[in-house]
């Protein structure tokens, strides 16, 4: 048994016309909405690492960072929401409105936000713009959430930023009914760090929803909506249309909206909002999209239709159709930022675009962290994400036997997620991560038995034991059997597995 930790086509224009034809077959009621909104049509980076962020080597720095982490965790957790921007607006006011010191791209949606943000960041960096990126949650280290020039800020800068804004945070706390939350404080840190750098453009991912999300004190010129599906239904709504109401709140007056493919009810909400604020809309499958894609070693080769024209033979070192669609959305967002499709009838430099996409990484998103047997990490935590991951694993890998390691949070549609994985998992090892949000392992096992049957479910309460058990199961047919392991169910589970498997 291996021990842990490890050692380490069709003609393109015709294909795109098929996309357009399929998209125009949607609910005819959308035509009424679209008639009132403007659509965006063309008229006449440095290489990133895998971001395996480690604890600081200096004991004093590590101690200071731990103190700040505990202070932040002592605030409202990011899972506790208050639908108000009053505290954030007050903090921004006393900080001197740092979020207005740079233009920004704001990203919401249900799945694909972080990968899309990283692609947008890579494109901006390749075109020599200094970037700030704010994403959540983190995979391994809290410092990952705030990035400058494509890399997480170092612990020293994180500590310095916190200390810089701490007096203003306390000042805000003193006059508000509730103290600033964990997420609000981190958001304030990000905006201050970006202004201090300074950055040329900020790429900002919402924490949850949109309208009342702490990030929504920015006035982004480009709003990106990745695919909307059911998640956080207790807070955002029971249907994709209801969820879209909250997420549409990031669309600002006169902005450009880059809209990924959506359920009809969600698209209706977004387009109505665009009409209300006179926003320009670029829709995947209409103004931009994926023309073609084919599996390649280490990722895929795609041809993308942008707002200004086609970009052929772009290598994307990420797996799955969903990542190709994320790439199309990211490209359209950057084109829109540069005015392509509205002010300029041209494409971006193709070599620069290729260089940018080739540099993209997305830790914990179908990331291979071990060989013999292959261990893949994916942070899918809802049914839509699980379906995308299951399809991508089947396409990108030739596993004869795939073992799942699943540790989920208690507030997710765990049954729906397991049902999505059932066709591709030979067996599943259920476990839990170390956080209080983790679903009880016996409760998770009961759901897994309902989906997989008793003979396909193994229970290992400790994640390290679960990984070892999964590796053993994957190797049952022999060293060269082609067995693999997929660790999934939660960003936290994936982050802890990444650490255990030697990538942090």
């Amino acid at each position: 048994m291996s021990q842990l930790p490890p050692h380490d086509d069709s003609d393109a224009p015709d294909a795109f016309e098929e996309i357009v034809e399929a998209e125009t077959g949607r609910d005819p009621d959308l035509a009424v909405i679209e008639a009132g909104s403007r659509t965006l049509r063309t008229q006449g980076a440095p290489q990133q690492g895998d971001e395996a962020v480690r604890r600081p080597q200096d004991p004093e720095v590590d101690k200071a960072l731990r103190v700040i982490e505990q202070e932040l965790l002592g605030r409202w957790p990011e899972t506790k929401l208050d639908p108000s921007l009053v505290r954030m607006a007050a903090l921004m006011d006393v900080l001197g409105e740092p979020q207005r010191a740079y233009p920004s791209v704001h990203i919401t949606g249900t799945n694909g936000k972080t990968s899309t943000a990283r692609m947008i960041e890579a494109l901006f960096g390749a075109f020599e713009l200094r970037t700030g990126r704010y994403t959540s949650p983190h995979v391994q280290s809290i410092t990952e959430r705030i990035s400058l020039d494509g890399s997480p800020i170092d612990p020293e800068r994180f500590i310095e930023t916190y200390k810089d804004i701490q007096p203003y945070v306390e000042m805000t706390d003193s006059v508000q009914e509730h103290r600033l939350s964990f997420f609000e404080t981190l958001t304030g840190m990000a905006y201050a760090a970006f202004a201090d750098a300074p950055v040329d453009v900020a790429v900002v991912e919402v924490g949850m929803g949109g309208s009342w999300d702490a990030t929504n004190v920015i006035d982004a010129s480009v709003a990106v909506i990745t695919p909307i599906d059911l998640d956080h239904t207790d807070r955002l709504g029971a249907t994709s249309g209801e969820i879209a109401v909250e997420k549409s709140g990031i669309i600002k007056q006169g902005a450009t909206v880059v809209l990924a493919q959506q359920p009809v009810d969600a698209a209706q909400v977004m387009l109505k909002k665009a009409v209300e604020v006179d926003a320009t809309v670029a829709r995947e499958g209409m103004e931009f999209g994926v023309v073609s894609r084919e599996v390649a070693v280490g990722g895929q080769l795609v041809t993308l239709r942008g707002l200004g024209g086609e970009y052929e033979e772009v290598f994307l070192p990420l797996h799955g159709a969903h990542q190709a669609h994320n790439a199309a959305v990211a490209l359209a967002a950057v084109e829109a930022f540069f005015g392509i499709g509205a002010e300029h009838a041209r494409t971006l430099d193709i070599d620069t675009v290729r260089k940018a996409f080739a540099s993209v990484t997305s830790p914990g998103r179908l990331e291979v962290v071990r060989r013999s047997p292959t261990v893949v990490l994916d942070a899918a935590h809802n049914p839509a994400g699980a379906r995308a991951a299951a399809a991508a694993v089947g396409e990108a890998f030739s596993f004869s036997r795939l073992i799942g390691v699943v540790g989920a949070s208690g507030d997710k549609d765990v049954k729906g997620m397991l049902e999505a994985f059932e066709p591709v998992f030979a067996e599943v090892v259920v476990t839990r991560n170390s956080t209080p949000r983790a679903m009880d392992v016996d409760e998770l096992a009961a759901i897994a038995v309902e989906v997989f049957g008793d003979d396909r479910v193994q229970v290992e309460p400790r994640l390290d034991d679960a990984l070892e058990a999964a590796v053993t199961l994957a190797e049952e047919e022999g060293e060269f059997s082609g067995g693999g392991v997929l660790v999934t169910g939660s960003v936290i589970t994936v982050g802890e597995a990444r650490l255990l498997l030697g990538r942090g």
Side-chain angles (χ1 to χ4, degrees):
M1 180 180 67
S2 300
Q3 299 297 313
L4 301 176
H7 50 70
D8 206 275
D9 235 32
S10 59
D11 181 73
D14 290 343
F16 189 75
E17 288 301 319
E18 290 176 7
I19 297 174
V20 174
E21 182 177 348
E23 187 70 10
T24 53
R26 297 175 305 166
D27 188 331
D29 289 343
L30 292 182
V32 177
I33 302 166
E34 293 169 357
S37 66
R38 293 177 288 130
T39 58
L40 190 60
R41 293 184 173 90
T42 300
Q43 301 168 354
Q47 184 74 24
Q48 300 180 53
D50 69 2
E51 296 201 16
V53 182
R54 293 166 173 80
R55 298 297 309 184
Q57 296 298 307
D58 187 325
E60 292 303 313
V61 174
D62 187 54
K63 181 180 178 181
L65 180 60
R66 290 184 187 278
V67 169
I68 291 172
E69 288 172 334
Q70 289 305 309
E71 289 179 3
L72 288 169
L73 290 170
R75 294 177 172 274
W76 270 13
E78 53 194 327
T79 53
K80 184 174 181 179
L81 303 179
D82 178 29
S84 170
L85 289 176
V86 171
R87 289 180 302 279
M88 275 304 299
L91 178 61
M92 293 297 99
D93 182 56
V94 296
L95 287 175
E97 305 291 344
Q99 81 283 14
R100 309 213 183 279
Y102 38 79
S104 53
V105 174
H106 207 178
I107 307 169
T108 191
T110 301
N111 291 308
K113 296 187 295 295
T114 298
S115 293
T116 302
R118 294 171 69 92
M119 292 179 196
I120 292 172
E121 172 191 53
L123 284 162
F124 280 139
F127 284 100
E128 300 184 350
L129 293 184
R130 189 166 200 203
T131 58
R133 171 171 53 85
Y134 181 55
T135 53
S136 61
H138 57 273
V139 177
Q140 287 177 210
S141 170
I142 195 171
T143 60
E144 296 168 28
R145 296 183 180 226
I146 305 172
S147 290
L148 293 172
D149 297 322
S151 298
I153 63 174
D154 57 47
E156 292 84 356
R157 191 162 193 163
F158 186 92
I159 294 165
E160 179 184 354
T161 301
Y162 178 79
K163 289 182 176 179
D164 283 346
I165 77 163
Q166 186 177 18
Y168 301 98
V169 170
E170 293 173 350
M171 186 186 308
T172 305
D173 286 343
S174 68
V175 296
Q176 297 296 321
E177 181 180 359
H178 303 292
R179 298 170 70 213
L180 288 156
S181 70
F182 169 93
F183 188 72
E184 288 169 332
T185 306
L186 271 174
T187 303
M189 289 175 61
Y191 289 160
F194 297 162
D196 185 60
V199 301
D200 297 315
V201 57
V203 183
V204 178
E205 174 190 334
V206 304
M208 185 185 299
S211 296
W212 304 115
D213 187 74
T215 62
N216 204 31
V217 291
I218 57 175
D219 190 12
S221 61
V222 178
V224 176
I225 320 292
T226 66
I228 293 174
D229 212 296
L230 301 184
D231 199 8
H232 302 295
T233 53
D234 56 329
R235 298 179 177 93
L236 302 179
T239 68
S240 54
E242 291 175 357
I243 292 171
V245 172
E246 170 66 15
K247 293 185 183 291
S248 69
I250 74 165
I251 302 174
K252 304 298 173 59
Q253 186 72 35
T256 299
V257 184
V258 177
L259 193 62
Q261 291 178 338
Q262 303 289 349
V264 169
D265 58 347
Q268 289 174 325
V269 170
M270 293 295 174
L271 293 168
K272 285 179 180 177
K273 177 69 173 184
V275 172
E276 292 170 4
V277 298
D278 195 29
T280 302
V281 181
R283 301 155 296 177
E284 184 180 6
M286 296 295 287
E287 285 72 45
F288 69 94
V290 179
V291 174
S292 65
R293 54 180 294 272
E294 58 183 89
V295 177
V297 176
Q300 55 192 304
L301 195 65
V302 299
T303 293
L304 304 175
R305 171 74 173 179
L307 303 176
E310 287 192 3
Y311 298 79
E312 297 180 341
E313 297 185 345
V314 175
F315 176 68
L316 180 65
L318 301 174
H319 300 292
H322 61 296
Q323 294 290 15
H325 289 284
N326 290 339
V329 170
L331 178 62
V334 172
E335 285 183 312
F337 183 86
F338 287 134
I340 293 174
E343 301 169 18
H344 308 293
R346 59 179 173 83
T347 59
L348 298 172
D349 179 71
I350 182 61
D351 291 333
T352 306
V353 169
R354 287 171 177 156
K355 175 185 175 183
F357 277 120
S359 75
V360 170
T361 62
S362 196
R365 278 75 181 178
L366 287 176
E367 179 188 21
V368 176
V369 293
R370 188 182 190 274
R371 299 287 185 182
S372 300
T374 299
V375 178
V376 183
L377 307 181
D378 193 84
H381 55 273
N382 55 46
R387 289 192 294 270
V393 166
E395 175 185 83
F397 303 93
S398 300
F399 294 130
S400 60
R401 176 180 172 81
L402 180 62
I403 309 300
V405 174
V406 178
S409 296
D411 58 349
K412 298 297 182 181
D413 180 4
V414 174
K415 184 176 181 181
M417 182 171 60
L418 291 175
E419 287 173 339
F421 282 122
E422 191 278 331
V424 299
F425 286 166
E427 296 185 51
V428 62
V429 181
V430 297
T431 188
R432 61 167 294 154
N433 57 58
S434 64
T435 66
R437 289 181 60 198
M439 176 174 278
D440 176 78
V441 70
D442 291 330
E443 182 181 353
L444 178 56
I447 299 172
V449 167
E450 185 179 346
V451 174
F452 289 87
D454 186 67
D455 59 338
R456 294 169 62 195
V457 178
Q458 182 169 330
V459 181
E460 295 290 349
R462 287 171 51 106
L463 181 57
D464 55 349
D465 291 337
L467 292 170
E468 195 73 58
V471 167
T472 301
L473 288 170
E475 292 178 330
E476 278 188 352
E477 296 179 3
E479 183 179 356
F480 304 105
S481 65
V485 175
L486 175 63
V487 184
T488 189
S490 164
V491 176
I492 300 164
T493 300
V494 163
E496 292 182 356
R498 202 170 190 266
L499 187 64
L500 288 167
L501 291 164
R503 294 303 290 269

